[in-house]
Amino acid sequence: MSAEIPIYDPELLKKYNLGERHETLKGDESLCVRPLYMSDYNRGFLELLGELTEVGNISEEQFQEQFEFMKNSHGTYYCTVIIDTIKDRVVGASTLLMERKFIRGCALRARLEDVVVSPNYRGKQLGKCIVEILTNLGRALGAYKMTLDCKDSMTPFYESLGYAKEPGNSNTLSIRYAAASKPEPKL
Ligand SMILES: CC(C)(COP(=O)(O)OP(=O)(O)OC[C@H]1O[C@@H](n2cnc3c(N)ncnc32)[C@H](O)[C@@H]1OP(=O)(O)O)[C@@H](O)C(=O)NCCC(=O)NCCS
């Protein structure tokens, strides 16, 4: 069993009055928002991500290696989860990524990644809750802007949370690599 090691300091959410003070969570004491723990491998975190996209078979060892890398990345990865504390399961998740830039006086740019809520928990404002918390965390950590990529059908969801297409600046272009290999851990 993995240890209860958080991927970032849980005090950050308290410091900025995020997390347990969110209106949605006040209404249901069995739910809490916190950083991803290493032990969430055993709370269905990867199964939840499988509701978003292909995850593949990830061993606990692989998960721990990736977790350690992200944890030691100097404030880059803010993987955050919503836990049903009664069932002890991860029921919502998203990641705030803080990208360091040279532009704008060595600024920070925030990205919102991998927003997902467990099917049985949808429609209870949990998606909205985790997006709002991470959007506020990105601001509190000093980012000059926060962006996200989404399917066309999801645009209204994010627009309802304050995100907007910028005129002349709303394109995401991609190249899909045919065979993604295992990332080099030391990179
Ligand atoms: C998208 C997702 C995270 C929404 O989670 P949720 O907890 O059901 O959403 P909420 O209950 O917080 O919804 C908040 C509001 O957004 C609206 N909303 C939810 N999904 C929406 C959608 N696809 N399009 C437009 N509005 C949407 C809700 O109606 C609600 O409106 P209200 O505040 O007026 O009641 C969830 O459906 C999910 O995990 N989907 C699969 C993974 C996915 O597609 N993730 C997004 C990747 S970009």
Side-chain angles (χ1 to χ4, degrees), residues 51-52 115-117 121-129 149-151 153-154 156-158 160:
E51 298 291 339
L52 176 71
V115 179
V116 61
V117 170
Y121 291 78
R122 286 183 194 161
K124 299 170 188 274
Q125 306 283 301
L126 296 185
K128 184 177 173 183
C129 170
D149 296 328
C150 71
K151 292 181 190 140
S153 61
M154 287 307 302
F157 173 72
Y158 292 109
S160 75

Side-chain angles (χ1 to χ4, degrees), residues 13-14 17-23 25 33-34 129 133:
L13 294 177
K14 291 183 191 149
N17 287 334
L18 305 170
E20 71 267 30
R21 298 213 181 172
H22 193 279
E23 284 304 317
L25 301 175
V33 171
R34 61 159 171 74
C129 170
I133 287 171

Side-chain angles (χ1 to χ4, degrees), residues 63-160:
F63 179 80
Q64 289 177 357
E65 187 184 345
Q66 191 81 317
F67 185 102
E68 281 292 347
F69 183 89
M70 293 163 102
K71 181 176 182 297
N72 295 326
S73 294
H74 307 290
T76 304
Y77 296 95
Y78 295 85
C79 305
T80 304
V81 290
I82 303 177
I83 301 289
D84 181 328
T85 57
I86 293 172
K87 295 190 174 159
D88 200 25
R89 300 296 285 174
V90 181
V91 300
S94 183
T95 293
L96 163 67
L97 193 60
M98 297 295 285
E99 178 189 357
R100 285 188 173 264
K101 314 284 281 186
F102 285 114
I103 61 167
R104 294 175 180 265
C106 291
L108 278 165
R109 171 188 175 157
R111 296 178 189 268
L112 187 67
E113 294 284 335
D114 302 338
V115 179
V116 61
V117 170
S118 175
N120 290 340
Y121 291 78
R122 286 183 194 161
K124 299 170 188 274
Q125 306 283 301
L126 296 185
K128 184 177 173 183
C129 170
I130 199 155
V131 171
E132 284 180 346
I133 287 171
L134 292 188
T135 303
N136 288 330
L137 184 58
R139 182 188 296 112
L141 293 174
Y144 74 95
K145 74 171 177 183
M146 181 133 168
T147 60
L148 60 88
D149 296 328
C150 71
K151 292 181 190 140
D152 294 347
S153 61
M154 287 307 302
T155 305
F157 173 72
Y158 292 109
E159 283 178 340
S160 75

